[in-house]
Amino acid sequence: MTMTTFPPEVASAVSAVVAGAGALDLSSATPCADFDLKALINHVIGTTAALARVGRREPLDPTDPYGEHTDASGGDWQGQLASNLDGLAQAWAEPQAWEGSVDMASQTMPAPMIGEMALAEVVLHGWDLARATGQRLVIEEHTAAELRRSVEATAELGRQMSAYGPAVEVAPDASDFDRALAASGRDPDWTAG
């Protein structure tokens, strides 16, 4: 079973983490080994903007389709990211966004695959940001179950594309959220410090 709409509480939960981040040392480590806090923030601002455009069937910027050249460190990154999260949630809240195919930087891909990618991008990096700033991201159980299903189904492809790290072992009774984190290569017990 695939999703047919973006869970509205996800953007709200991650926006709450963004709002609670306060003053940051942008060179701080994050659970996402390839990104310090500045790189993580820039990445999420870029990808949330791109995925919102795709959900609305708008073309991506041909010179920077995934927002890889974003640098929000000198501005209101919290406001920009909160706005992007809201835009992404609105775009993918529409059932028609999940129908047919979408153009992703000159590749045609199934819309449900990109919608689920949007969910994983927001939740997994929202969790990264929460942990890096000493906070906790809480999502609904049904959303955690959908995230787990989606991440486990795409984990090997994600590793081949260097989007996910090696799977992490978790206890047999771990929650769906922890299992999704582990399948993406994140240690659910990671703490800043």
Side-chain angles (χ1 to χ4, degrees), residues 146-168:
E146 283 295 316
L147 178 69
R148 175 186 174 191
R149 179 198 53 74
S150 176
V151 170
E152 288 179 345
T154 60
E156 287 311 313
L157 177 62
R159 278 186 262 291
Q160 291 171 16
M161 297 173 64
S162 300
Y164 293 160
V168 173

Side-chain angles (χ1 to χ4, degrees), residues 10 16 51 53 113 119 124 157 164:
V10 168
L51 288 165
R53 291 182 70 84
M113 173 189 266
L119 175 68
L124 296 175
L157 177 62
Y164 293 160

Side-chain angles (χ1 to χ4, degrees), residues 42-52 65-68 70 84 88 121-122 125:
N42 289 338
H43 172 78
V44 178
I45 286 172
T47 57
T48 52
L51 288 165
Y66 304 117
E68 295 170 350
T70 300
N84 286 7
L88 184 148
E121 182 75 12
V122 170
H125 285 316

Side-chain angles (χ1 to χ4, degrees), residues 55-105:
R56 292 188 301 265
R57 302 302 201 269
E58 296 173 358
L60 295 175
D61 177 349
T63 63
D64 188 18
Y66 304 117
E68 295 170 350
H69 304 299
T70 300
D71 185 2
S73 60
D76 177 19
W77 72 266
Q78 289 167 301
Q80 187 175 2
L81 183 49
S83 176
N84 286 7
L85 287 165
D86 186 52
L88 184 148
Q90 287 179 20
W92 288 96
E94 299 299 326
Q96 63 267 26
W98 296 78
E99 297 171 0
S101 299
V102 295
D103 182 35
M104 282 288 292

Side-chain angles (χ1 to χ4, degrees), residues 9-40:
E9 80 277 0
V10 168
S12 298
V14 176
S15 288
V17 168
V18 170
L24 301 174
D25 174 358
L26 293 177
S27 65
S28 298
T30 73
C32 197
D34 292 340
F35 295 139
D36 64 8
L37 199 49
K38 178 180 178 182
L40 174 66

